[in-house]
Amino acid sequence: MRGRQAEEEAASGAVPARQASAAVLIVENGGFFTTVQDLGRPGYRASGVPPAGAMDPEALRIANRLVGNPPGAAALEITLAGPALRLTEGRLVALMGAPGPAEAVFPDGRVEAVPFGRPFFLPSGGRLRIGRLGGARAYVAVAGGIAVPPVLGSRSTYLPARFGGMEGRRLVAGDRLPLGGGGLSALPPDAARAALRAWGRARPAAAFFPAEHAVTVLRFLPGPEWDWLTEAAQAAFLGEVFTVSPASNRMGARLKGPPLPLSRREELFSAAVDFGVVQLPPGGGPIVLLSDHQTTGGYPRIGAVIAVDRPLLAQLRPGDRVAFYAVGRPAALRWRMERRRHLRQLEAAIALRWAAALAAAGLRPDAFDPAASLARADAAAGGTTTA
C-alpha cells in the first residue's frame, strides 16, 4: 500500500514526507472557507472516493510554478474571502486565481500590497492578509508546499468524508500547517530577495486570471438523458439564464431557472458521474457537479460542461448568472488541447524566468532549478504535467 501511495505522490508532484522541514504556516484567521488542496487522488472511484482536489487546478498549478514547486504540491484554496496567515520561516509565496486585496505585514510593522500572479518573499514572522476576492476562489502556494500527511496519495481535503488536508475540515484560527522543503524553499532570504529583484514586475500568469462576466457562458455537451427533456425544456436550457443558488458548495453548483420538464420518467440505475456533469433531480433545478461530487448518481444526466471551462465553474458565486451553449465533441477536444498547450507554455516560461533570475542574482540555477523540477515532474507523470 505504501509503495503505491509513494508512486501516486510522485506522479501528482506532492511534496514527499522526507522533505518536510521545521517551518510552519500558522492560521490566524481562516477566512470565509479555506482548505488544503492539491490535484486530487485519482484511482479510487471504485471505492467511492472521487479525485476531488482543487476546484481550479490550473490556478493551483500556476501558483505552485511561481514558487518553484511541482504542479501538484498542496496549497491553500480560498473561497470568497481570504485568511490571515503567519510564517515561522521566510518563504517565497504566490497568489493565483480570482484577484483580491492582499497585503504583507512585515515584522518591523511595514505593510505592503502584494500582487496576484507574481512571487514575493514573506520573511520569518511575516503575515499575509487576503481580503474579499473578485471571484469565488484563489490559491496560496508556499515554496516547499503544505506538508500535511497524505491520505490515499493526496493531501487534498475531501470534506464529505472528512479526511485529508487539516483533519478533513476547513482551516480555523490556531491551525499550524507544516511546510515541505527542497527547491526554492532552500533559498536564503537575501538570495530570494535578489532573485525577485531580477525577476522584476512581470506577471506572466495574468492571462490566466478569471474574467468578470455579467453572464458566464458554459460550453456544454448533451448527455445520455438529454433526449428525456421535452423540446421546450431543451430550448429553455440552452436559451435562458440560470442563477447560482446559495445552497451550492464544492459538491455541486445548484441552479435556479426555468422549469425543465421531462418527456420520459423512468427508473435510472446509478451511473458514473464526473466533474461538470449536469444532473436534473425531480422537481428541482439542474445541478452541475464539482470537485467533491459523488462517484455515482441516479438523476438524469442531461449533459456536461466541457473540461476547458472548469475554471469558470470554479469561480461561480451565489447569485452569479450562467447560460449554456451546446458544442460538439471535436470542438471540445480541440479547445482542451489548445488550453493544455497554453498552460504548458506558461509553465515553461515561468521556469525559464526563474532560471534567468537566479543566474542574474549570482546564484547557481542548477541548485534551485525550477526547469529541472518541471522535467522531473513530467517524467514522474508519464511525460506530461498538464491538467
Side-chain angles (χ1 to χ4, degrees):
M1 176 66 182
R2 177 57 200 165
R4 176 183 176 185
Q5 183 166 308
E7 291 175 3
E8 290 165 350
E9 288 180 34
S12 70
V15 180
R18 66 177 179 275
Q19 290 188 344
S21 71
V24 173
L25 182 64
I26 299 172
V27 179
E28 296 188 334
N29 183 316
F32 179 76
F33 198 97
T34 305
T35 57
V36 176
Q37 298 293 343
D38 58 21
L39 293 180
R41 47 179 63 84
Y44 294 94
R45 289 179 185 272
S47 301
V49 180
M55 287 276 285
D56 186 348
E58 288 184 358
L60 175 103
R61 296 173 67 93
I62 295 168
N64 273 321
R65 290 304 194 194
L66 287 169
V67 294
N69 289 343
L76 301 186
E77 180 179 272
I78 301 168
T79 301
L80 297 180
L85 309 165
R86 176 163 55 91
L87 278 171
T88 64
E89 179 183 285
R91 294 286 176 108
L92 291 163
V93 180
L95 308 176
M96 192 62 197
E103 60 185 19
V105 183
F106 294 91
D108 62 5
R110 287 181 301 116
V111 179
E112 291 184 8
V114 293
F116 276 61
R118 187 172 77 229
F120 59 93
F121 184 77
L122 194 64
S124 175
R127 290 173 166 84
L128 174 63
R129 299 192 297 221
I130 304 169
R132 187 174 184 83
L133 303 177
R137 290 177 178 86
Y139 295 85
V140 182
V142 181
I146 307 295
V148 294
V151 178
L152 300 179
S154 168
R155 293 179 166 86
S156 63
T157 308
Y158 182 46
L159 294 160
R162 299 182 181 179
F163 65 73
M166 188 66 180
E167 301 172 351
R169 58 168 171 79
R170 64 199 285 185
L171 299 183
V172 297
D175 284 341
R176 297 173 65 88
L177 302 171
L179 298 176
L184 294 178
S185 71
L187 280 176
D190 288 345
R193 294 186 183 98
L196 288 173
R197 285 193 294 271
W199 173 287
R201 303 185 63 82
R203 292 198 290 177
F208 280 76
F209 288 166
E212 294 265 6
H213 301 281
V215 177
T216 298
V217 178
L218 300 170
R219 288 168 286 187
F220 168 87
L221 287 169
E225 286 78 52
W226 172 251
D227 290 339
W228 288 28
L229 292 172
T230 65
E231 290 187 7
Q234 291 179 355
F237 183 80
L238 296 175
E240 301 291 336
V241 173
F242 294 81
T243 303
V244 179
S245 164
S248 302
N249 54 30
R250 277 180 50 92
M251 287 192 71
R254 295 178 176 270
L255 305 180
K256 297 184 292 185
L260 300 173
L262 298 172
S263 61
R264 296 166 57 181
R265 292 192 178 275
E266 298 179 12
E267 190 74 19
L268 270 177
F269 291 106
S270 290
V273 293
D274 202 354
F275 192 110
V277 167
V278 183
Q279 291 188 310
L280 188 62
I287 301 172
V288 186
L289 300 184
L290 302 177
S291 284
D292 285 351
H293 64 82
Q294 70 278 16
T295 56
T296 62
Y299 296 142
R301 298 154 299 168
I302 61 175
V305 176
I306 67 174
V308 76
D309 283 350
R310 178 169 180 166
L312 297 178
L313 288 172
Q315 296 302 336
L316 292 178
R317 297 165 292 188
D320 282 353
R321 304 169 73 218
V322 302
F324 295 91
Y325 176 72
V327 299
R329 192 171 300 275
L333 291 172
R334 184 177 69 254
W335 289 323
R336 185 176 186 181
M337 294 301 294
E338 289 174 354
R339 186 73 172 187
R340 283 182 170 183
R341 185 174 67 255
H342 293 156
L343 179 60
R344 190 67 178 82
Q345 289 170 344
L346 173 61
E347 290 183 318
I350 291 171
L352 290 171
R353 193 168 191 91
W354 263 121
L358 291 168
L363 302 168
R364 286 177 50 208
D366 59 338
F368 314 98
D369 189 359
S373 168
L374 186 69
R376 287 194 298 271
D378 278 349
T384 179
T385 56
T386 49

mmCIF file of all heavy atoms in Angstrom, residues 121 187-197 361 363:
data_model
loop_
_atom_site.group_PDB
_atom_site.id
_atom_site.type_symbol
_atom_site.label_atom_id
_atom_site.label_comp_id
_atom_site.label_asym_id
_atom_site.label_seq_id
_atom_site.Cartn_x
_atom_site.Cartn_y
_atom_site.Cartn_z
ATOM 1 N N PHE A 121 8.429 37.483 -1.442
ATOM 2 C CA PHE A 121 9.078 36.834 -0.299
ATOM 3 C C PHE A 121 8.456 37.348 0.988
ATOM 4 O O PHE A 121 8.345 38.560 1.204
ATOM 5 C CB PHE A 121 10.583 37.114 -0.298
ATOM 6 C CG PHE A 121 11.319 36.386 0.804
ATOM 7 C CD1 PHE A 121 11.605 35.034 0.689
ATOM 8 C CD2 PHE A 121 11.698 37.057 1.955
ATOM 9 C CE1 PHE A 121 12.274 34.364 1.698
ATOM 10 C CE2 PHE A 121 12.369 36.394 2.975
ATOM 11 C CZ PHE A 121 12.658 35.037 2.844
ATOM 12 N N LEU A 187 16.197 28.620 -0.630
ATOM 13 C CA LEU A 187 16.862 29.903 -0.868
ATOM 14 C C LEU A 187 16.988 30.702 0.425
ATOM 15 O O LEU A 187 15.983 30.926 1.112
ATOM 16 C CB LEU A 187 16.072 30.735 -1.879
ATOM 17 C CG LEU A 187 16.232 30.427 -3.365
ATOM 18 C CD1 LEU A 187 15.283 31.302 -4.170
ATOM 19 C CD2 LEU A 187 17.665 30.647 -3.816
ATOM 20 N N PRO A 188 18.185 31.165 0.796
ATOM 21 C CA PRO A 188 18.310 32.083 1.938
ATOM 22 C C PRO A 188 17.546 33.375 1.642
ATOM 23 O O PRO A 188 17.355 33.753 0.482
ATOM 24 C CB PRO A 188 19.815 32.333 2.037
ATOM 25 C CG PRO A 188 20.453 31.202 1.275
ATOM 26 C CD PRO A 188 19.487 30.846 0.188
ATOM 27 N N PRO A 189 17.085 34.068 2.689
ATOM 28 C CA PRO A 189 16.294 35.299 2.472
ATOM 29 C C PRO A 189 16.949 36.310 1.539
ATOM 30 O O PRO A 189 16.294 36.838 0.630
ATOM 31 C CB PRO A 189 16.120 35.851 3.895
ATOM 32 C CG PRO A 189 16.161 34.634 4.758
ATOM 33 C CD PRO A 189 17.154 33.724 4.115
ATOM 34 N N ASP A 190 18.218 36.615 1.731
ATOM 35 C CA ASP A 190 18.874 37.610 0.878
ATOM 36 C C ASP A 190 18.925 37.143 -0.570
ATOM 37 O O ASP A 190 18.751 37.944 -1.504
ATOM 38 C CB ASP A 190 20.285 37.894 1.383
ATOM 39 C CG ASP A 190 20.286 38.699 2.677
ATOM 40 O OD1 ASP A 190 19.224 39.261 3.014
ATOM 41 O OD2 ASP A 190 21.338 38.743 3.348
ATOM 42 N N ALA A 191 19.165 35.846 -0.775
ATOM 43 C CA ALA A 191 19.205 35.305 -2.129
ATOM 44 C C ALA A 191 17.829 35.369 -2.780
ATOM 45 O O ALA A 191 17.696 35.685 -3.970
ATOM 46 C CB ALA A 191 19.717 33.869 -2.102
ATOM 47 N N ALA A 192 16.793 35.068 -2.009
ATOM 48 C CA ALA A 192 15.433 35.128 -2.540
ATOM 49 C C ALA A 192 15.079 36.546 -2.963
ATOM 50 O O ALA A 192 14.507 36.777 -4.037
ATOM 51 C CB ALA A 192 14.441 34.611 -1.502
ATOM 52 N N ARG A 193 15.431 37.514 -2.142
ATOM 53 C CA ARG A 193 15.123 38.917 -2.479
ATOM 54 C C ARG A 193 15.900 39.353 -3.723
ATOM 55 O O ARG A 193 15.357 40.071 -4.580
ATOM 56 C CB ARG A 193 15.458 39.816 -1.291
ATOM 57 C CG ARG A 193 14.568 39.574 -0.066
ATOM 58 C CD ARG A 193 14.855 40.615 1.024
ATOM 59 N NE ARG A 193 14.077 40.364 2.211
ATOM 60 C CZ ARG A 193 14.538 39.713 3.301
ATOM 61 N NH1 ARG A 193 15.780 39.251 3.313
ATOM 62 N NH2 ARG A 193 13.755 39.534 4.343
ATOM 63 N N ALA A 194 17.163 38.934 -3.827
ATOM 64 C CA ALA A 194 17.959 39.294 -5.004
ATOM 65 C C ALA A 194 17.360 38.681 -6.270
ATOM 66 O O ALA A 194 17.287 39.337 -7.319
ATOM 67 C CB ALA A 194 19.405 38.829 -4.816
ATOM 68 N N ALA A 195 16.920 37.443 -6.184
ATOM 69 C CA ALA A 195 16.321 36.792 -7.346
ATOM 70 C C ALA A 195 15.010 37.468 -7.740
ATOM 71 O O ALA A 195 14.712 37.630 -8.932
ATOM 72 C CB ALA A 195 16.092 35.310 -7.050
ATOM 73 N N LEU A 196 14.229 37.899 -6.762
ATOM 74 C CA LEU A 196 12.971 38.575 -7.068
ATOM 75 C C LEU A 196 13.215 39.940 -7.710
ATOM 76 O O LEU A 196 12.446 40.374 -8.573
ATOM 77 C CB LEU A 196 12.128 38.718 -5.799
ATOM 78 C CG LEU A 196 11.510 37.421 -5.274
ATOM 79 C CD1 LEU A 196 10.835 37.651 -3.925
ATOM 80 C CD2 LEU A 196 10.501 36.849 -6.271
ATOM 81 N N ARG A 197 14.277 40.624 -7.291
ATOM 82 C CA ARG A 197 14.607 41.896 -7.964
ATOM 83 C C ARG A 197 14.942 41.627 -9.427
ATOM 84 O O ARG A 197 14.551 42.392 -10.323
ATOM 85 C CB ARG A 197 15.771 42.582 -7.254
ATOM 86 C CG ARG A 197 15.401 43.228 -5.932
ATOM 87 C CD ARG A 197 16.502 44.160 -5.439
ATOM 88 N NE ARG A 197 17.725 43.439 -5.104
ATOM 89 C CZ ARG A 197 17.986 42.929 -3.907
ATOM 90 N NH1 ARG A 197 17.105 43.055 -2.924
ATOM 91 N NH2 ARG A 197 19.135 42.303 -3.689
ATOM 92 N N ALA A 361 21.042 36.939 -10.218
ATOM 93 C CA ALA A 361 21.324 37.241 -8.820
ATOM 94 C C ALA A 361 22.626 36.613 -8.347
ATOM 95 O O ALA A 361 22.954 36.676 -7.155
ATOM 96 C CB ALA A 361 20.165 36.764 -7.950
ATOM 97 N N LEU A 363 23.374 33.378 -8.448
ATOM 98 C CA LEU A 363 23.146 32.061 -7.857
ATOM 99 C C LEU A 363 23.285 30.984 -8.923
ATOM 100 O O LEU A 363 23.091 31.252 -10.112
ATOM 101 C CB LEU A 363 21.755 31.989 -7.228
ATOM 102 C CG LEU A 363 21.486 33.031 -6.147
ATOM 103 C CD1 LEU A 363 19.999 33.043 -5.818
ATOM 104 C CD2 LEU A 363 22.293 32.732 -4.899
#
